[in-house]
Amino acid sequence: MNKDIISGKWTQLKGQAQARWGDLTDDVFDVAEGDSKYLAGKLQERYGWERERAEQEVRDFERTLG
């Protein structure tokens, strides 16, 4: 699924993302609006992951979407 599709369906996908990364707030997801770089940055910040791991988490999430 490409980033345009993710951005377009973000409202629907937001719930799945919140279930996966429950420590992130609604505000983070509202600002992210499907922006994978922003989301990876917030995962890094919140979970203390290295950039590569955060980006991999986002890619893995994108793959689960079909």
Side-chain angles (χ1 to χ4, degrees), residues 2-58:
N2 71 35
K3 73 178 187 176
D4 292 333
I5 293 171
I6 291 172
S7 294
K9 293 186 174 190
W10 184 244
T11 304
Q12 297 167 324
L13 301 175
K14 187 169 94 169
Q16 292 175 17
Q18 285 174 315
R20 185 171 183 135
W21 301 298
D23 288 343
L24 297 181
T25 65
D26 284 340
D27 291 341
V28 168
F29 291 109
D30 289 342
V31 172
E33 292 183 1
D35 181 341
S36 62
K37 295 263 185 216
Y38 178 83
L39 185 55
K42 287 301 180 178
L43 289 171
Q44 246 186 297
E45 181 182 302
R46 179 64 181 113
Y47 291 100
W49 295 338
E50 293 185 13
R51 184 184 61 169
E52 293 79 19
R53 169 139 188 229
E55 289 173 351
Q56 184 63 49
E57 287 279 331
V58 172

